[in-house]
Amino acid sequence: MLRALSTSRRVSRRLPPCSRLSSSTATSPKLNSVAADDVAHFSKFLAPTSIVSSLSPTPATADELEQFNVDWIGRFRGQSNTVLKPKTTEEVSQILKWCNERRIGVCPQGGNTGLVGGSVPVKDEVILSLANMNKIRSFDPVSGILVADAGCILQSLTDYVAPHHHIMPIDLGAKGSCQIGGNVATNAGGLRLLRYGSLHGTVLGLEVVLPDGTILDQLTTLRKDNTGYDLKQLFIGAEGTLGVITGVSILTPPAPQASNNVVLALPSFKNVLPLYQIVKRQLSEVLSAFEFIDRTAYDLAVKHGQGRALKEDEIEGAECFVLVETSGGRRDHDEEKLNDLLESLLTADEPLINTGVLAQNPAQFISLWALREGVTEAVSKEGKAYKYDISIPLSTFQDVVDQTREHLRGKGLLHDKAVKAVLGYGHVGDGNLHLNIVADAFLPEIQDALEPYIYEVVQSLRGSISAEHGIGAMKTHALPYSKSQVSIDLMKKIKNVFDPHGIMNPCKVLDYVDACKVAGMLLRQIFIENNQPIPMFIHPSIANPNARTALSLRIMHSGGNPHASAQSARVILADPNTEIFQSLVKTYQGDPNKYIESYLWVKKCIDKGAVTFTPLVYKNPGGRRPGEERTQFTDDDEERLCQWIADKIPYKETGGRTGNRLYQQLCDQAGDPEYAWVNRHTWQSWRERYKKNATRLDSMIAAIVEQKRPAHGEKGQYGYVRQPEEKPKRTRKKRKADQLDDGFVHAVEGLVGLPGMPPMPPNPQMLPHMGMHQVPNGYPVLPVEPSLPSNSQPPHPVVYAPMVMPPTSQPQPPPPPPPQQISPAEHRKSPAREEDEEPEWAVKVGNAPPPAWARSTGDGSEHNPQKRQKVNEGSETEEAAAPEQAPRAGSDPTIDAQALVALASIHVIDHTLTEIARESRFTVEEVKEFYDQCGEMEQTRNRFQEMRQFLQEKFGIH
């Protein structure tokens, strides 16, 4: 038997606090952010209380903007810095006109109670709140037509028409917060759709401000108007993407004189459809609601204090529950119909119900509805809810719920730390199932397990992915599961007609990728493999929700699929700074079709314009230990290693192939996607691999080098030629005598060309050795050596070369050798000039002979710079003293007879040459050099006399 409820109470429904676990999706292409100049412009026609902005003279705090930027369930979050709250349609018009000209995105917002993120910005669009437009413009109690501002709260309108014995045709759980403009914009269904139909039928007219500021006034109160296109229908369910609804004309039905409800417990869901048929047939015109609640949803509502319709023993064996409501003009008539229905159900041969409870008064009526409406609040208290508002055939309600539960169980996600419950409830009268998955937290693996699975199920049943919540930002990617491409293309064309600049609620309803494509902003599609998006899984180790969302969008915009599960994904993206990253690498190292990548990998691939996978291995911690490496070397590893060595050290004889630096530099390249393979081993392992297989790898390297044939010492090779250290060069001050006049050089060249003249010195700097110097007129002159006292110095120094023995027919014993035989051509310069002119040294190349400076002289002087310098100084001293030693040689009692004869001969020749030099005013060196070439004293004298005569005639030099 049915029993009456003894007590009942209304349970207040509190909105859950905003969660910070999720964020918005993306930014609209080619739209500008709100600037201080824009806020200043808005302040010209809006009251200060109508502007909430962090850019205004009195900036708003983050908490003040928070309630506008976060959606009701806390899943979507915007970043808007400005909220505008106009009070009139004209103010809305001015706002949209300015934003359209400035290309500023606009997000219309009503009560912000949506469930798909359609009422919050995706980034920093200006929020246009209609909360201040809350006036009722008119109401006709005869026709029941209500005209009101779009910002009027649904409950306020219900209370307004109630004294006139009317009700609103729509009733929602969020009626205390939602606004009528938002209800129309989203084409909300609600609990009364079975009785009064959708808003497409009850809305008679709209006032809409178009994106360019134009006011479209179709706020008619006519129930019949068959004059052309019914434009208002375009804005019902458009979610604010075509314009802003500022006024609504709606038909309110008369309030029922009697309302009642009953909750029935059913042993099986199979009984729901037969029960619905019987209820419709028997209650007929008084039936106003037929709501379905599965057992899980009922238990959850009872657990969180939403009321208890039946006792524990009465619900035993019940799989689901149904709430039936009647609304009519006569209470006795309606109650009689309802009692007849219940009696027939309970006395049937095969009862469709176990038991039920009938409300006996208005308080009990409200209490039973609180149980049904409280399921939403109970779900939010239990955990984080994944809500799917779908339209499917009535017969598949429970099947979809049960299949989804088993699907999650098969994924290993049905436990307290993941999915706590899968439940379903909804409106049987209009085929709307609310599928709710209650989780401990929003996790990507749950999201990936649910989508696109649920959308695919809906598509297979030819259902709709959104029955009454809309598309918003949550389901843009799933729109093709319900709409054909032809339908979507037509929707885009309509959008472009009304909003060519795309400022109205950007990135909602239509897919963002398609919107970017229209704007020419589509990124290069690189995450494509075999003409299919690469499935990727974003691991929970990337905990920041904003980072996860941004990463997901970046993947999607570049052609990939970021919604794959961990099992089906080809790429798992994780945080490399966590321990789980290495654990994932180790877990999947044996799977050749799966890669573990850092979240930075996505950006590197996009920047490079190509996908390069990192070889999936467990990183070897070292290569010096005995035994085999954990990661086995492959042929590809060796080939790449040889390529690296061939590029850096192409020739083995130069050495360096076993040095640490070569392999450390190789591992330094690991950040480049082209060198991702380097991470397979540490630098020690790479080096050890070469050392243990040097002979075989050297032959591979030689083959690579033979193909490329790099030049010896080519740039990029190291360990081959030592680069000289940079050191400052010491500049040598030139002597004035080295600065020769070109005219004189030509004159001397002509002189040398005379018959019998000695050849021209190879370098003009040799001219000073001929005894010439510069005079003020620029011509060189020869020095004159008059007879001078023994203690005086000649005006110009005369340098004497070592004396040479004349040829003789009789063999003479060789003179004693000096400490070091140094020819005139090999006379060393001063140490300073030696250091300046010494060429830079290079490392010995291969088997090349040592340089000249490294050749041994047999006495070890090349290794003793002090000894070498001493020898050098002794030679120079001997050269300078030679002319003076000759006259005194005979007085030396220690010199033998042969040496005296040799010195005497040298003295006679040298004396004659000195006389020739004095007579012709040339240096002894010059005279002696010519004598050494011809060997004839008289020829030498004649030649220098001719040269003197030529100079006198040519230059007038005496």
Side-chain angles (χ1 to χ4, degrees):
M1 292 292 294
L2 292 173
R3 64 176 179 81
L5 288 176
S6 59
T7 60
S8 182
R9 61 186 178 87
R10 179 187 295 273
V11 180
S12 62
R13 292 177 292 279
R14 295 181 290 106
L15 298 181
C18 293
S19 171
R20 297 179 180 272
L21 290 177
S22 185
S23 62
S24 58
T25 53
T27 181
S28 173
K30 296 184 179 179
L31 292 181
N32 299 319
S33 301
V34 181
D37 293 343
D38 301 313
V39 176
H41 175 78
F42 297 141
S43 64
K44 295 178 181 179
F45 57 87
L46 293 177
T49 56
S50 297
I51 302 176
V52 182
S53 176
S54 59
L55 303 175
S56 60
T58 305
T61 64
D63 291 338
E64 291 175 318
L65 293 170
E66 177 90 357
Q67 59 180 317
F68 300 98
N69 272 312
V70 182
D71 74 320
W72 183 56
I73 60 175
R75 189 174 183 182
F76 297 92
R77 176 183 297 275
Q79 304 170 21
S80 178
N81 56 24
T82 302
V83 179
L84 304 179
K85 299 190 289 184
K87 296 180 179 180
T88 66
T89 302
E90 289 71 21
E91 290 179 350
V92 175
S93 175
Q94 293 184 62
I95 292 171
L96 291 187
K97 182 178 180 181
W98 178 264
C99 292
N100 190 59
E101 294 173 352
R102 302 274 291 180
R103 305 295 191 271
I104 298 173
V106 179
C107 177
Q109 188 176 95
N112 196 17
T113 58
L115 299 174
V116 291
S119 58
V120 294
V122 294
K123 192 178 181 186
D124 59 354
E125 303 92 276
V126 60
I127 297 175
L128 182 59
S129 173
L130 300 172
N132 286 346
M133 297 186 65
N134 52 13
K135 296 180 180 179
I136 297 176
R137 303 186 186 184
S138 65
F139 176 71
D140 183 0
V142 177
S143 63
I145 298 174
L146 172 70
V147 180
D149 286 347
C152 292
I153 295 175
L154 180 59
Q155 184 63 59
S156 299
L157 295 178
T158 300
D159 296 340
Y160 180 84
V161 300
H164 301 282
H165 308 289
H166 283 77
I167 62 173
M168 294 299 293
I170 180 175
D171 187 21
L172 303 173
K175 57 189 173 185
S177 303
C178 64
Q179 298 173 7
I180 188 62
N183 298 150
V184 174
T186 58
N187 189 28
L191 305 173
R192 294 174 179 170
L193 188 139
L194 176 63
R195 177 71 179 269
Y196 302 111
S198 73
L199 291 175
H200 278 290
T202 56
V203 172
L204 302 178
L206 293 176
E207 180 185 74
V208 182
V209 180
L210 301 180
D212 62 355
T214 302
I215 299 175
L216 176 63
D217 186 1
Q218 287 201 331
L219 205 58
T220 179
T221 58
L222 302 176
R223 297 191 65 177
K224 298 182 71 175
D225 182 6
N226 197 16
T227 55
Y229 301 134
D230 190 3
L231 296 179
K232 71 176 183 293
Q233 301 296 343
L234 290 174
F235 301 94
I236 300 174
E239 302 185 45
T241 59
L242 302 180
V244 177
I245 298 174
T246 56
V248 177
S249 173
I250 190 169
L251 179 63
T252 62
Q257 297 301 309
S259 295
N260 213 333
N261 57 10
V262 60
V263 172
L264 305 174
L266 281 67
S268 171
F269 178 78
K270 295 179 181 179
N271 296 357
V272 173
L273 293 184
L275 177 63
Y276 180 54
Q277 289 177 318
I278 294 175
V279 169
K280 283 198 304 179
R281 183 173 62 252
Q282 294 195 23
L283 297 181
S284 186
E285 78 284 357
V286 298
L287 178 64
S288 57
F290 193 97
E291 296 294 306
F292 159 76
I293 311 171
D294 71 6
R295 180 61 183 267
T296 305
Y298 178 89
D299 291 342
L300 208 58
V302 173
K303 174 182 177 181
H304 291 284
Q306 305 303 317
R308 182 184 296 274
L310 298 167
K311 294 181 180 180
E312 288 293 334
D313 58 339
E314 293 175 332
I315 63 175
E316 185 177 352
E319 288 188 1
C320 59
F321 302 83
V322 168
L323 186 150
V324 178
E325 181 190 68
T326 61
S327 300
R330 289 180 55 190
R331 178 174 296 275
D332 294 341
H333 175 266
D334 296 346
E335 288 184 354
E336 182 181 357
K337 281 192 144 186
L338 188 57
N339 288 329
D340 291 343
L341 169 67
L342 297 176
E343 184 176 357
S344 65
L345 291 175
L346 291 171
T347 59
D349 295 336
E350 295 182 1
L352 297 177
I353 63 173
N354 291 343
T355 186
V357 56
L358 176 65
Q360 300 296 311
N361 53 54
Q364 295 175 357
F365 175 87
I366 294 173
S367 179
L368 292 181
W369 264 118
L371 175 67
R372 159 62 183 86
E373 295 176 344
V375 174
T376 301
E377 183 177 349
V379 167
S380 65
K381 289 182 177 180
E382 181 70 13
K384 305 301 179 181
Y386 292 87
K387 294 179 176 289
Y388 293 91
D389 164 47
I390 57 179
S391 284
I392 53 177
L394 298 177
S395 60
T396 62
F397 270 29
Q398 192 62 42
D399 291 341
V400 170
V401 176
D402 294 341
Q403 289 173 11
T404 301
R405 185 184 295 112
E406 293 306 314
H407 173 73
L408 293 172
R409 192 191 307 277
K411 297 288 186 180
L413 296 173
L414 198 64
H415 54 81
D416 290 342
K417 295 301 182 180
V419 176
K420 296 181 177 180
V422 178
L423 54 97
Y425 61 95
H427 320 297
V428 175
D430 49 39
N432 181 192
L433 172 66
H434 294 292
L435 177 62
N436 281 233
I437 294 87
V438 186
D440 182 63
F442 290 121
L443 298 176
E445 52 263 41
I446 299 177
Q447 178 81 19
D448 296 337
L450 293 174
E451 297 180 14
Y453 170 77
I454 292 177
Y455 298 139
E456 291 172 348
V457 171
V458 171
Q459 185 181 41
S460 67
L461 299 173
R462 297 186 64 84
S464 171
I465 63 170
S466 181
E468 58 183 3
H469 293 168
I471 297 296
M474 174 183 173
K475 301 181 181 180
T476 55
H477 64 287
L479 190 59
Y481 288 101
S482 291
K483 297 293 184 183
S484 66
Q485 190 60 45
V486 174
S487 299
I488 294 175
D489 290 342
L490 286 174
M491 291 169 63
K492 293 176 184 177
K493 291 178 181 179
I494 294 172
K495 166 73 171 176
N496 194 49
V497 169
F498 284 93
D499 185 21
H501 297 145
I503 69 167
M504 293 307 305
N505 219 5
C507 304
K508 308 293 175 55
V509 182
L510 296 178
D511 192 357
Y512 175 67
V513 174
D514 291 334
C516 289
K517 188 184 299 182
V518 172
M521 297 288 289
L522 185 63
L523 299 176
R524 183 177 178 184
Q525 306 295 281
I526 62 171
F527 296 122
I528 300 292
E529 193 173 57
N530 298 326
N531 295 323
Q532 295 293 327
I534 297 176
M536 302 185 192
F537 172 70
I538 303 177
H539 194 270
S541 61
I542 306 175
N544 188 305
N546 293 334
R548 294 177 61 85
T549 303
L551 187 62
S552 176
L553 288 168
R554 178 168 283 189
I555 294 170
M556 183 176 68
H557 299 165
S558 296
N561 173 23
H563 304 298
S565 64
Q567 291 76 16
S568 62
R570 180 161 174 76
V571 180
I572 297 179
L573 300 171
D575 187 347
N577 300 317
T578 59
E579 295 181 359
I580 192 66
F581 186 85
Q582 291 300 330
S583 176
L584 289 170
V585 171
K586 187 174 181 180
T587 301
Y588 291 103
Q589 65 178 353
D591 189 346
N593 296 319
K594 197 177 293 291
Y595 294 92
I596 308 300
E597 302 289 355
S598 162
Y599 55 85
L600 298 175
W601 173 82
V602 174
K603 182 178 184 300
K604 290 179 180 178
C605 290
I606 293 175
D607 292 343
K608 187 177 180 62
V611 175
T612 303
F613 292 116
T614 303
L616 185 62
V617 295
Y618 186 77
K619 190 172 182 180
N620 187 352
R624 290 184 178 273
R625 65 182 182 281
E628 295 294 333
E629 295 86 353
R630 294 185 187 178
T631 304
Q632 298 298 320
F633 276 86
T634 64
D635 293 341
D636 288 341
D637 289 342
E638 290 188 346
E639 182 178 351
R640 289 165 174 162
L641 177 61
C642 291
Q643 185 67 52
W644 168 262
I645 298 176
D647 290 341
K648 292 297 181 180
I649 308 180
Y651 302 103
K652 181 181 179 182
E653 60 269 17
T654 63
R657 288 185 177 177
T658 57
N660 294 349
R661 185 58 182 158
L662 175 65
Y663 303 95
Q664 289 170 351
Q665 287 187 348
L666 173 61
C667 290
D668 289 344
Q669 304 294 321
D672 188 340
E674 292 185 357
Y675 286 87
W677 52 271
V678 173
N679 285 323
R680 287 179 54 81
H681 310 279
T682 60
W683 67 265
Q684 295 98 330
S685 293
W686 288 112
R687 182 195 58 194
E688 291 300 309
R689 187 65 178 183
Y690 172 78
K691 290 175 65 177
K692 293 177 180 178
N693 303 272
T695 303
R696 179 171 54 85
L697 297 183
D698 283 340
S699 61
M700 296 172 62
I701 297 170
I704 296 173
V705 173
E706 181 64 23
Q707 294 178 356
K708 294 187 174 182
R709 294 184 177 273
H712 284 269
E714 191 177 67
K715 184 178 180 181
Q717 304 172 15
Y718 65 92
Y720 185 72
V721 175
R722 174 174 175 177
Q723 300 297 326
E725 297 181 1
E726 293 291 337
K727 58 182 179 181
K729 296 290 185 178
R730 238 187 301 182
T731 58
R732 196 182 75 205
K733 187 175 181 180
K734 284 189 176 183
R735 294 172 295 180
K736 289 185 178 181
D738 292 343
Q739 303 172 356
L740 301 177
D741 183 84
D742 291 341
F744 176 70
V745 173
H746 295 310
V748 173
E749 289 175 351
L751 177 63
V752 174
L754 295 176
M757 294 298 290
M760 180 70 182
N763 193 329
Q765 294 181 358
M766 291 293 293
L767 291 173
H769 298 292
M770 298 174 65
M772 300 180 183
H773 66 278
Q774 198 89 3
V775 294
N777 61 6
Y779 293 101
V781 297
L782 297 175
V784 180
E785 295 183 271
S787 299
L788 298 174
S790 60
N791 60 350
S792 62
Q793 296 293 333
H796 300 283
V798 177
V799 181
Y800 297 90
M803 290 176 282
V804 182
M805 292 293 294
T808 176
S809 57
Q810 297 180 1
Q812 298 291 338
Q820 184 177 4
Q821 296 295 333
I822 303 175
S823 65
E826 294 178 345
H827 283 173
R828 292 191 178 273
K829 303 178 181 63
S830 66
R833 293 186 62 186
E834 262 188 64
E835 184 179 38
D836 286 342
E837 299 178 10
E838 183 178 4
E840 295 293 342
W841 62 279
V843 175
K844 176 182 176 182
V845 179
N847 298 321
W853 53 264
R855 296 172 184 169
S856 175
T857 59
D859 59 356
S861 61
E862 69 276 12
H863 302 296
N864 192 338
Q866 293 182 352
K867 183 175 181 180
R868 182 177 61 188
Q869 184 176 0
K870 183 175 180 181
V871 172
N872 180 30
E873 293 173 355
S875 301
E876 292 178 354
T877 304
E878 182 181 17
E879 293 172 10
E884 299 179 0
Q885 289 175 353
R888 298 193 303 268
S891 63
D892 190 348
T894 62
I895 300 178
D896 58 14
Q898 290 183 348
L900 290 175
V901 172
L903 289 174
S905 300
I906 293 173
H907 174 72
V908 173
I909 297 173
D910 184 63
H911 181 71
T912 305
L913 295 176
T914 303
E915 288 181 353
I916 296 173
R918 183 175 293 109
E919 291 175 358
S920 60
R921 294 193 295 280
F922 283 91
T923 63
V924 175
E925 277 184 334
E926 295 159 350
V927 176
K928 190 168 182 55
E929 183 178 0
F930 184 79
Y931 174 78
D932 290 340
Q933 294 180 5
C934 67
E936 296 293 336
M937 189 66 69
E938 190 62 27
Q939 183 179 352
T940 302
R941 184 186 301 275
N942 294 337
R943 175 51 58 91
F944 280 90
Q945 287 179 354
E946 292 175 358
M947 289 176 64
R948 172 54 51 193
Q949 182 179 358
F950 175 81
L951 292 172
Q952 290 177 353
E953 294 175 355
K954 186 73 175 177
F955 300 102
I957 301 175
H958 298 283

